[in-house]
Amino acid sequence: DAKTTQPPSMDCAEGRAANLPCNHSTISGNEYVYWYRQIHSQGPQYIIHGLKNNETNEMASLIITEDRKSSTLILPHATLRDTAVYYCIVRVAGIQGAQKLVFGQGTRLTINP
Amino acid sequence: EPEVTQTPSHQVTQMGQEVILRCVPISNHLYFYWYRQILGQKVEFLVSFYNNEISEKSEIFDDQFSVERPDGSNFTLKIRSTKLEDSAMYFCASRQGGYAEAFFGQGTRLTVV
């Protein structure tokens, strides 16, 4: 699985958009970008994933650059409950294989009142 | 919303004792995982399980560890002879298949004394 690079920490004001970057310059054509977050010591929570098109769901938007070497997770209106460690993970997705997730250190996002 | 449930939430055991951590994955999921997180460190993959057998395991998952799906609903992780360094949060996860995301339980905090 391709390696990812994320800033160790970020701050964002409550109510503003939080933009979390991720570099994955060695990503392969069949690897998806997944985002998870971990609030305190709870189990990781799935946020969103994508291959090459931008994606949006009720939690966030995922913007993937055209060359797929980087992506940005956008939380449009951050709340205090969004304070967490955010993980960007790339992995092959398909029918074959168990496809474990390889977690890095992630970005510790702090939402300030 | 379906969820992965883990019991117990906290387990304290003496060094050398056997422990069994229990998980009930989401009912129509096909892939099952155990991860662990030592306090202050990354989430680490331990083992994946599919079609009633281990499909992948990490170096951490040595002969002291075993997994079982005894009755088609529960998924267990057994540590035969616990060591102090086994103290960690243990997370169970399950996934439907294909490119579907993994869902994590809230974890079992194992403390070996």
Side-chain angles (χ1 to χ4, degrees):
Chain A
D1 291 333
K3 183 176 165 55
T4 64
T5 305
Q6 299 177 254
S9 63
M10 292 182 65
D11 285 87
C12 179
E14 188 179 18
R16 305 297 293 266
N19 296 275
L20 291 92
C22 179
N23 286 320
H24 31 79
S25 57
T26 60
I27 193 169
S28 302
N30 60 349
E31 287 184 312
Y32 282 68
V33 180
Y34 287 77
W35 283 84
Y36 282 78
R37 72 181 182 183
Q38 188 176 27
I39 297 171
H40 196 46
S41 295
Q42 296 177 21
Q45 178 189 24
Y46 166 79
I47 301 172
I48 198 167
H49 74 279
L51 182 62
K52 55 183 177 181
N53 298 319
N54 297 337
E55 301 288 344
T56 295
N57 63 19
E58 65 278 4
M59 288 182 70
S61 295
L62 174 60
I63 308 297
I64 302 174
T65 58
E66 194 168 339
D67 63 8
R68 302 210 324 121
K69 293 186 177 182
S70 65
S71 60
T72 301
L73 178 75
I74 301 172
L75 307 178
H77 305 287
T79 70
L80 298 178
R81 288 180 296 180
D82 292 321
T83 292
V85 179
Y86 287 77
Y87 300 99
C88 169
I89 301 168
V90 296
R91 70 169 172 87
V92 175
I95 298 172
Q96 300 298 325
Q99 294 145 28
K100 65 181 184 286
L101 295 168
V102 178
F103 288 82
Q105 297 289 355
T107 295
R108 183 172 298 277
L109 175 67
T110 302
I111 306 300
N112 300 306
Chain B
E1 185 177 308
E3 59 180 14
V4 176
T5 56
Q6 292 186 241
T7 54
S9 56
H10 191 186
Q11 172 102 38
V12 181
T13 189
Q14 290 204 325
M15 193 168 54
Q17 294 296 304
E18 174 184 286
V19 294
I20 298 176
L21 309 183
R22 302 180 192 281
C23 168
V24 179
I26 295 173
S27 63
N28 63 344
H29 285 190
L30 302 176
Y31 296 87
F32 313 107
Y33 308 83
W34 284 101
Y35 291 80
R36 81 170 186 190
Q37 186 175 32
I38 295 170
L39 186 63
Q41 298 187 23
K42 297 186 295 186
V43 177
E44 301 173 289
F45 166 77
L46 291 178
V47 66
S48 58
F49 192 84
Y50 169 71
N51 202 23
N52 286 318
E53 60 183 22
I54 290 174
S55 47
E56 187 175 357
K57 58 184 180 179
S58 71
E59 290 179 356
I60 302 167
F61 194 88
D62 61 21
D63 292 344
Q64 292 300 310
F65 291 87
S66 63
V67 289
E68 199 175 40
R69 189 157 158 79
D71 55 12
S73 62
N74 292 287
F75 180 50
T76 61
L77 175 69
K78 182 193 290 186
I79 309 176
R80 287 191 185 81
S81 177
T82 50
K83 309 185 200 62
L84 294 176
E85 53 265 37
D86 293 327
S87 294
M89 284 289 289
Y90 287 79
F91 296 109
C92 173
S94 70
R95 192 170 66 85
Q96 192 168 39
Y99 56 80
E101 65 273 23
F103 291 84
F104 285 76
Q106 288 306 297
T108 293
R109 180 174 298 282
L110 177 66
T111 303
V112 182
V113 296

